[in-house]
Amino acid sequence: GGKAGGPRVARRSRSGPTHDAPARIMGGKAKPTKHSAKEIAGKVAAATTNKGGGKAGLADRKGGAAGHAKFKCPSCGQQAPSIKSAEMHWDSKHSKLPFVPGDWSDTHAEHGGVTTAGVAVKGAAKQKTVHELAKTKTGQEKLKQLEQEKLKQQF
């Protein structure tokens, strides 16, 4: 169209080509064909984050028997995750006394190492498939070891 009474011109449709081409070939705008980074990050977080697991999972998330902090103040019992944090605590709360790192107790060592097991971490307990093992050298060695164990069991 144009002005009233003027020549009529056929307009092309703005919706795209008129032929019936399958939409999946071109891929529409704002329609990702692959997984988004957000989706992948969410899957990784779900597989590696310690959540759930019932009563055992709750105890595990609280840090097990030793707790999350590794060191314990000999003066007041305040816990610190590292010697550097312990020194900062000492300078702040017990500045009149000299800081001796050896006096701080290592709660993890007292309880026989790290006391968390990752009860509710999905990715931790998953066994690798034969195809996943075959991709790395250590995996290939493990496959050979498994095959030898199978042969021993047969005889």
Side-chain angles (χ1 to χ4, degrees):
K3 295 178 186 169
R8 293 190 175 257
V9 179
R11 281 194 177 170
R12 223 177 59 191
S13 170
R14 290 179 188 231
S15 62
T18 53
H19 54 85
D20 295 321
R24 66 182 173 273
I25 292 173
M26 292 175 61
K29 290 182 182 174
K31 290 183 181 175
T33 53
K34 302 272 191 265
H35 296 282
S36 67
K38 184 180 179 182
E39 183 185 355
I40 292 168
K43 286 180 179 182
V44 168
T48 56
T49 304
N50 194 353
K51 58 184 176 182
K55 209 170 199 176
L58 176 67
D60 201 49
R61 288 192 305 279
K62 286 186 175 177
H68 290 291
K70 188 172 180 177
F71 299 100
K72 195 171 187 179
C73 178
S75 183
C76 67
Q78 173 70 42
Q79 291 188 316
S82 67
I83 282 291
K84 191 74 182 163
S85 298
E87 189 174 2
M88 287 165 59
H89 159 78
W90 192 266
D91 291 344
S92 171
K93 304 294 179 191
H94 318 291
S95 56
K96 292 178 183 171
L97 301 167
F99 176 69
V100 182
D103 291 349
W104 285 67
S105 57
D106 184 346
T107 55
H108 286 184
E110 289 170 9
H111 289 89
V114 178
T115 57
T116 56
V119 174
V121 180
K122 292 178 193 170
K126 182 182 166 243
Q127 292 290 322
K128 287 190 174 179
T129 63
V130 176
H131 300 292
E132 288 172 330
L133 287 172
K135 290 178 184 176
T136 62
K137 268 191 177 179
T138 52
Q140 290 167 1
E141 289 169 10
K142 184 155 184 154
L143 278 174
K144 285 179 186 175
Q145 199 175 29
L146 289 169
E147 285 175 28
Q148 288 173 355
E149 287 175 17
K150 278 186 182 179
L151 288 171
K152 285 180 185 176
Q153 286 177 355
Q154 285 178 352
F155 299 109

